[in-house]
Amino acid sequence: MPGGRPNVLFIMTDQMRADCMSCAGHPVVRTPHLDELAGDGVLFRRAYVQSAVCGPSRMCFYTGRYPHANRSPWNEVPLPADEKTIGHYFGDAGYRAALCGKTHYTPDPLDDPLAQPAEGIRRATLAGLETWELNDGRGEGWLAHLRSAGYPDEVVRDPFSVDAPPDADRDHAAYPTRFRREDSDTAFMTDRAMAFMADAAGPPGPPGSPGSPWFLHLSYFKPHLPIVAPYPYNALYDPADSPAPNRSPEELARPHPFHVPFRIERKGVEYDDEAVWRQRRATYYGLITEIDDHLGRLFRFMKDRGLWEDTLIIFTSDHGEYVGDHWMFEKELFYDEAYNVPFIVRDPRSCADGTRGAVMDDFVESLDVLPTCMDVCGLGGPGGPGGPGGPDAPAVLQGRSLAPLLRGERPDDWRTEVHADWDFRFYWTPKKLGIPPERCRGWMVRDDRFKYWHFNGMPDVLFDLEADPGELRNVAGDPRYAGAVRDLRVRLMDWRMSNEDVSRVAWTYGRRPGFGRNPFVA
Amino acid sequence: MPGGRPNVLFIMTDQMRADCMSCAGHPVVRTPHLDELAGDGVLFRRAYVQSAVCGPSRMCFYTGRYPHANRSPWNEVPLPADEKTIGHYFGDAGYRAALCGKTHYTPDPLDDPLAQPAEGIRRATLAGLETWELNDGRGEGWLAHLRSAGYPDEVVRDPFSVDAPPDADRDHAAYPTRFRREDSDTAFMTDRAMAFMADAAGPPGPPGSPGSPWFLHLSYFKPHLPIVAPYPYNALYDPADSPAPNRSPEELARPHPFHVPFRIERKGVEYDDEAVWRQRRATYYGLITEIDDHLGRLFRFMKDRGLWEDTLIIFTSDHGEYVGDHWMFEKELFYDEAYNVPFIVRDPRSCADGTRGAVMDDFVESLDVLPTCMDVCGLGGPGGPGGPGGPDAPAVLQGRSLAPLLRGERPDDWRTEVHADWDFRFYWTPKKLGIPPERCRGWMVRDDRFKYWHFNGMPDVLFDLEADPGELRNVAGDPRYAGAVRDLRVRLMDWRMSNEDVSRVAWTYGRRPGFGRNPFVA
């Protein structure tokens, strides 16, 4: 680690639940290489994303700021040009910062009207990140690979199609893809990540040769739907072993007004069929083990090259997936299955040796990734990332560095709750319910004891997680919980007040050493 | 009015209370020309600013957006470059848009780092507005006028100094300025406004000659402190006639934790002295009548030139002033004396003839000025200002056009409450109380019956305006009002949820005619 600046490998899966790793105690899915990473780092079991939709969740990770602050609360909503991302921070600090995989970033038309063609949305590369390889599902690099590997045009055109009988389940989860395991998007993106590491190392030389450190965002498209996997992952797990969904008849008997329309809109109703949830869960687990197998290849490559000891590794997902829990599919509403994500950090520095293999239950938000990477890599001035008073002053970042926890220190003032913010104007459900766009917003707060959802003008939702850890019984209307609701509402307001955007406030504040004569001093 | 596009004269005073006009029923101050304007337009008695600090209040007027959305919540906090202002909207529509007077605008260093010199803050002109004349208190144009009028250097250097005996009240409110009434900033700025109108009319020709319509922001620095006026305005009103401050001993006996430190910081304690409040109130009224006298000159000029019938006139202030009410000076905390402002609109079109002379109690917010001007002048596409779906789509503007009210129509869904948002990190009071910057935020909601203040982590404030219209008795802790507090908190949350920034959301929304297959349609 020349100059004390580690490389950074920021690995993200898409739509992977926190519980789907063997190190997290899952009864079925096997993830030996993620377990190995957790054994050499820290597994955070209570890590939450601030949005369970791909685009806005990623923008929170990239900017270290809540959706209301970075103003990109849904897919394809451009990230404003003045929002500095992890790519900018690391690029500016002399890192080679690159993207390998999915990003879901949309450039800002107010900054550059030509960045977006009139006919539609173009997915560009993430601001500040070199596009080493881009794959928002059907990336050109991967399709070119399939073509050159000799697959017929129909496979290249529609790589997730399968050979299935006409009466098969619509999702075809039991059937293998027509590409082989060694040609999957997961395999290809892993190969490309290794190629990047080789490229970044420069000409052959002894380990630790001088050169720029690198920041690689390796971002897999899976286990995002379609839930189809190459052989043998489609058949790796027996549907008979799939654990039953976390749901109760009471949820549908007295549902929140949003529950049923969202489960219709997102096709959760298909999961009412036991054969469907059994098979889709099994294949979903197979896709996760596929990723784990390739991470094993990647970790072996890094160890062989002497990169393991030089690289900060963070593994997480942009959000979870219900696969039938709460009678839902995908990730709408504010249940833990959608917002709690896998989160493993391996800090290569010796100061983190004391916590290797630890499992922590401190609350983590997606916003913490950026300040953690900056802290571990020594970016930023003495006052924090970006230096005091400038537009990049710490006040702009709304997350917190996990580095103290990685060193075994537990700050007294660590957060006691996590938050999420959901703009749902782009769905059909509010149109069906007659809710105007400006009212399509919900906030969530979750602490040790409670989870509270507030929707503008709609009934509240409260779960007592001590009595009901599965979030199956809404007690918001129970008078015994009136005090809890009152308290949680104030905390939501105070959270929002404390997290207004201060990008320009910080600039002004940093330039005012005094505010004139202090009337409290004689 | 060729082409149906009126000129716009947007007049703003600084720190003028809503009650200080004879047409508003004030027992002392005389404002015959404002009364004349109100008699020919509509006087809105319940107009509220969203911030009672000059800079952020003006940015709300200019952008039509709340402080949390335009991200400029305090003086000298730069307005982000992507915030479009009233100057941009009118300039883009072919108007000659100009500033004559105060603006308190700070350009965005993230957009142009060179816009702000390292050594301090430079007041630049408002984005989108031609700087016809700039005066943020001691404007160069006015000082040059004083110099050329023969005043000695010491007057030009410190124009608001007076010849007063050493034992005079610190504010010297009783003593005349050393400049004569015809050379005051108010007189000068009025002359410059008339010069602009003459300049904008182009070469001499019959009234209504073709030419661009104009938008003039005439912005007076007074009656902002220092409360000193030229003769005869310093002596126009007898201090013996000044109405007693709206305050009660109970306010100081059981104060909110912020009340006493803010009244110390802002020198409200000086107003405990009866001689002080009597004289300062009298001079404050004199400054208002001075403005009124010059508005009389201006209105006469406009009528002589045929401009009266061609011009939309809005008269308001950026915020109010306590002058001793609630034991306070200036405009801190959320009392009506600080947030309720004078608001008169004269729509020159015949469709507004039915409401001339009307007094309305519909709630108005500062955000309404921009959409009202755009509506009356016919700016914007069929979907509203800026046209549907673009970055200037109506959803970006958070105010509402008053044009229906001016036509005598009363929309069923007119707002039933007003809101304010205060970032007070720049004061000494939170430093004294040990409140960290990120917690220095307060929200206010006021409806027909109640006013509720919420500060992050501090006691609530609630006034029952029916029983206590003067806001003298905080009943937030009274159990009989627990239901009201609960309701008002939810309304504050819902207000904030409904008013997140959607500048990029609107861009995306406008480009999505459908969201894919509608699962609710067979």
Side-chain angles (χ1 to χ4, degrees), chain B residues 10 37 40 64 73 99 170 239 243 343 362 375 378 419 440 454 466 469 513:
Chain B
F10 171 35
L37 183 68
D40 211 25
L99 165 73
R170 194 181 55 79
F343 202 93
D362 306 85
D375 190 353
H419 311 89
C440 293
H454 182 76
E466 207 169 82

Side-chain angles (χ1 to χ4, degrees), chain A residues 7 111-112 181 193 242-243 248 285 336 405 409 440 458:
Chain A
N7 304 308
D111 178 55
D112 177 8
R181 61 186 296 181
S242 291
S248 82
Y285 302 150
D336 257 23
L405 299 172
E409 298 161 17
C440 294
M458 296 300 274

